[in-house]
Amino acid sequence: MSTQLKTVPQQAYIVGTPIRPGFNGQGQIDLHDYAGMAPPTFEGCTFSHFTFLDLTTVNIDTESFANLGIREEFEGDDGNRIDELEVSFENNGFETVAWPPSIDDLGGFIDGRGRTTGALNRSERWMPVAVYNRVDFSVSSTVTNGIKGNLGGRPQRSASFRDIVNGAVHLVNEGELKPTVNDVNNWLKKRLELWRFFKADLITKMQQAIVEESTRDESLILRKKTSSWHAWIKRNVGLDEKAGDYVLVNASSSSYQTYIQRLWCESILPAIIDGSDPVDVIFYTSHYRPSKARDGLQKSIEKLDQLYDMSFSLVKSHLKSSGIDLDAVLAATGTQLNSDKPFNIIGACPQIVSDHEFESGKLIDVTSY
């Protein structure tokens, strides 16, 4: 672990323009405000200087920026974190009362991805960052530093039990952490120094969960809230959910019937009636485990096909009750019905880390999910 400066001097360690306009046009952001703060310590990193990052140069569609193994963004409390940051930026601008997002000298993010995402969502241009000289670019270093940056109350929400367990399982899958009690405890207590933030019994539960989940030999799932997937699809696939280009559906193993029935009744049937079918469908998963994700996708597709067949049978039944045998009419006239379905499954979001290429920017073919 590198030795850091105790505090930042007033005039030194600023590169480039020291003052920029504040977020939402509120006041200004002055890098001198960070003078006197103690730089956070990150593994294999030494604080270098402050500067402003041009947010138009940030590529957020990388596994590193996606907080893979560091923090997940999903519905509920954690999923609202970015929304709350955006509201804060709207009402308060960018406040310089806490250490800014941290990046390395090659532009990779060490800490502050949430604040950066919130700023990007608001189309802000310049954000203050602390730049560190970094010598260790391993996955282990990235995940460990990312989680450490989310401890201690500096971000809007501290790293959770699940964030830490996911991070460790990801390192095990990457071959950078052995799933043994000793190695896991060393990572939790010495590298993350969790004893500073959690009680001993909770750290023990984390260790037990990490060892148990690592024995499943299952990949980490990249979980994002629906709005984040909509944004990813628009950037990478060129489809706009607000323009009606597709419908995003949660392929849940436990709630697939509800989601598929909603898709059928609220999107596909209206499209059939107004002649705008087929409806393009994209799936994503909210599960933690690949086996559950795959099961949910299979059940969702089977349920969708079932509703199609049932609807067709319903039409035939009603015609027959009126004395019309549709099959006989078709045979007599030599007519064949259009076999095209009123929906088109164009793919699934890339979420199973070991099998899907998130950085390719492509949807996953559901036949090879």
Side-chain angles (χ1 to χ4, degrees):
M1 190 174 294
S2 57
T3 301
Q4 302 290 347
L5 298 168
K6 290 184 178 181
T7 59
V8 179
Q10 177 68 33
Q11 296 298 329
Y13 307 109
I14 292 177
V15 174
T17 302
I19 299 176
R20 294 278 187 182
F23 283 13
N24 197 31
Q26 297 193 40
Q28 53 186 218
I29 303 172
D30 188 344
L31 297 182
H32 294 105
D33 291 346
Y34 296 111
M37 294 186 186
T41 300
F42 296 109
E43 284 190 357
C45 300
T46 304
F47 171 71
S48 173
H49 61 273
F50 297 112
T51 191
F52 278 97
L53 176 66
D54 183 349
L55 293 176
T56 63
T57 66
V58 176
N59 178 14
I60 66 176
D61 293 321
T62 64
E63 289 188 354
S64 175
F65 193 89
N67 264 354
L68 187 58
I70 299 172
R71 192 202 289 274
E72 65 175 27
E73 303 294 346
F74 202 65
E75 317 300 349
D77 290 342
D78 288 339
N80 293 332
R81 188 175 65 94
I82 303 300
D83 297 337
E84 292 172 2
L85 286 169
E86 291 180 38
V87 171
S88 176
F89 292 155
E90 172 74 22
N91 295 324
N92 308 312
F94 190 97
E95 299 176 293
T96 54
V97 295
W99 194 258
S102 301
I103 65 174
D104 61 43
D105 42 342
L106 296 182
F109 274 80
I110 301 172
D111 173 42
R113 297 165 181 83
R115 284 171 286 176
T116 305
T117 300
L120 284 166
N121 289 348
R122 288 184 42 78
S123 299
E124 302 290 353
R125 175 69 185 276
W126 299 100
M127 186 171 67
V129 293
V131 180
Y132 285 74
N133 293 324
R134 183 177 177 183
V135 296
D136 184 353
F137 292 87
S138 66
V139 175
S140 178
S141 172
T142 298
V143 171
T144 301
N145 284 332
I147 293 177
K148 288 184 69 174
N150 290 335
L151 293 169
R154 289 188 301 103
Q156 188 112 352
R157 279 196 176 91
S158 186
S160 68
F161 181 102
R162 176 49 52 182
D163 291 331
I164 294 167
V165 171
N166 281 351
V169 172
H170 181 48
L171 293 183
V172 171
N173 291 340
E174 293 292 319
E176 299 206 17
L177 178 66
K178 294 180 181 179
T180 64
V181 172
N182 286 340
D183 284 339
V184 171
N185 273 334
N186 180 72
W187 184 71
L188 294 173
K189 297 177 180 180
K190 293 185 178 181
R191 295 182 66 186
L192 290 182
E193 298 180 312
L194 291 189
W195 52 269
R196 298 173 55 196
F197 311 101
F198 297 95
K199 291 184 177 180
D201 61 337
L202 187 56
I203 297 175
T204 299
K205 290 179 180 179
M206 290 180 189
Q207 171 260 305
Q208 293 170 342
I210 291 166
V211 173
E212 189 276 325
E213 293 186 23
S214 297
T215 61
R216 296 174 185 169
D217 193 27
E218 290 191 326
S219 170
L220 190 68
I221 295 270
L222 178 60
R223 289 170 23 113
K224 289 178 172 289
K225 60 189 298 188
T226 52
S227 61
S228 295
W229 282 122
H230 285 312
W232 182 89
I233 291 167
K234 187 173 183 179
R235 288 192 304 270
N236 292 278
V237 187
L239 299 178
D240 188 349
E241 179 264 344
K242 292 182 179 179
D245 292 342
Y246 67 94
V247 178
L248 186 64
V249 181
N250 186 352
S252 170
S253 178
S254 57
S255 303
Y256 68 95
Q257 297 200 55
T258 298
Y259 293 130
I260 296 302
Q261 287 168 357
R262 183 182 302 164
L263 167 66
W264 185 262
C265 294
E266 297 181 3
S267 298
I268 296 176
L269 282 181
I272 295 174
I273 293 171
D274 65 25
S276 61
D277 61 304
V279 173
D280 285 341
V281 178
I282 299 175
F283 286 105
Y284 77 102
T285 184
S286 58
H287 287 298
Y288 287 106
R289 301 176 61 182
S291 57
K292 284 285 189 180
R294 293 187 171 104
D295 181 61
L297 181 61
Q298 180 180 345
K299 287 179 177 177
S300 297
I301 295 174
E302 290 175 350
K303 183 64 178 180
L304 191 53
D305 286 334
Q306 181 191 51
L307 289 177
Y308 171 72
D309 292 337
M310 289 175 64
S311 296
F312 194 77
S313 297
L314 177 65
V315 172
K316 291 174 65 176
S317 176
H318 275 279
L319 289 174
K320 190 172 184 179
S321 67
S322 301
I324 302 174
D325 187 333
L326 180 59
D327 291 331
V329 171
L330 293 175
T333 58
T335 304
Q336 290 185 340
L337 290 178
N338 189 338
S339 61
D340 292 339
K341 295 179 179 180
F343 57 87
N344 179 31
I345 301 174
I346 61 176
C349 295
Q351 294 181 257
I352 302 178
V353 176
S354 63
D355 298 328
H356 300 167
E357 290 291 338
F358 174 74
E359 294 185 3
S360 72
K362 297 179 181 179
L363 294 171
I364 304 302
D365 187 332
V366 296
T367 62
S368 57
Y369 188 78

